Amino acid sequence: PRFGTCCDRGKVRLPPLADPPKEPRQLYLGQRSQGSEFRNKISQYNAVLAFTPPGVNVDEQINQHTGVPYVFRIHGSLCHRAGTLLLPPGQRPAYAQLYTHDPQAVLDRRMARNGNL
């Protein structure tokens, strides 16, 4: 048998992706300070909208050198920690719990938890 490492040696062709909406595209490609800040904190923005936190033991030893791109290396396995949707007394909602509340309350909570964004 013959195996191709990608796209069956060119036999599979995918259509080009559609352009993203104007606002996210400007943030991702723009040269203004707002776009630069967005790109620097894109992982945090992704986490803000997540339904579950990742369950992972990140091996940071690989990132001890300067001038090298960040590497996300996992030691062990990766999973999603889906907790209860019922809020324990005294705790603030997080992740999927946020999606069960009033939209304005959800936005307020996200803003409070991520004041630097």
Side-chain angles (χ1 to χ4, degrees), residues 24-25 27-29 34-50 70 114 116-117:
R25 184 175 64 240
L27 285 173
Y28 193 71
L29 300 174
Q34 190 179 26
S36 176
E37 183 174 345
F38 173 76
R39 289 186 299 275
N40 287 335
K41 297 178 180 174
I42 198 165
S43 294
Q44 187 176 352
Y45 279 107
N46 186 50
V48 166
L49 299 172
Y70 178 79
N114 298 279
N116 66 320
L117 298 181

Side-chain angles (χ1 to χ4, degrees), residues 6-7 12 15 36 51-52 57 64 71-73 85 114:
C6 178
C7 303
V12 176
S36 176
F51 279 99
T52 60
N57 184 7
Q64 299 299 318
V71 175
F72 184 78
R73 183 164 76 177
L85 288 177
N114 298 279

Side-chain angles (χ1 to χ4, degrees), residues 6-116:
C6 178
C7 303
D8 197 19
R9 298 184 192 249
K11 293 178 187 171
V12 176
R13 298 199 188 274
L14 300 174
L17 294 174
D19 286 339
K22 178 183 173 186
E23 292 81 5
R25 184 175 64 240
Q26 286 177 338
L27 285 173
Y28 193 71
L29 300 174
Q31 299 303 315
R32 296 184 188 161
S33 62
Q34 190 179 26
S36 176
E37 183 174 345
F38 173 76
R39 289 186 299 275
N40 287 335
K41 297 178 180 174
I42 198 165
S43 294
Q44 187 176 352
Y45 279 107
N46 186 50
V48 166
L49 299 172
F51 279 99
T52 60
V56 64
N57 184 7
V58 179
D59 181 0
E60 293 288 353
Q61 294 287 61
I62 198 166
N63 293 310
Q64 299 299 318
H65 308 289
T66 58
V68 178
Y70 178 79
V71 175
F72 184 78
R73 183 164 76 177
I74 298 170
H75 179 76
S77 61
L78 171 67
C79 66
H80 294 282
R81 293 184 179 152
T84 179
L85 288 177
L86 300 174
L87 211 60
Q91 278 194 347
R92 294 181 176 195
Y95 297 104
Q97 294 165 341
L98 289 171
Y99 290 88
T100 62
H101 293 276
D102 174 60
Q104 186 61 49
V106 171
L107 177 60
D108 293 343
R109 181 69 62 205
R110 283 194 185 117
M111 294 299 291
R113 290 175 56 98
N114 298 279
N116 66 320

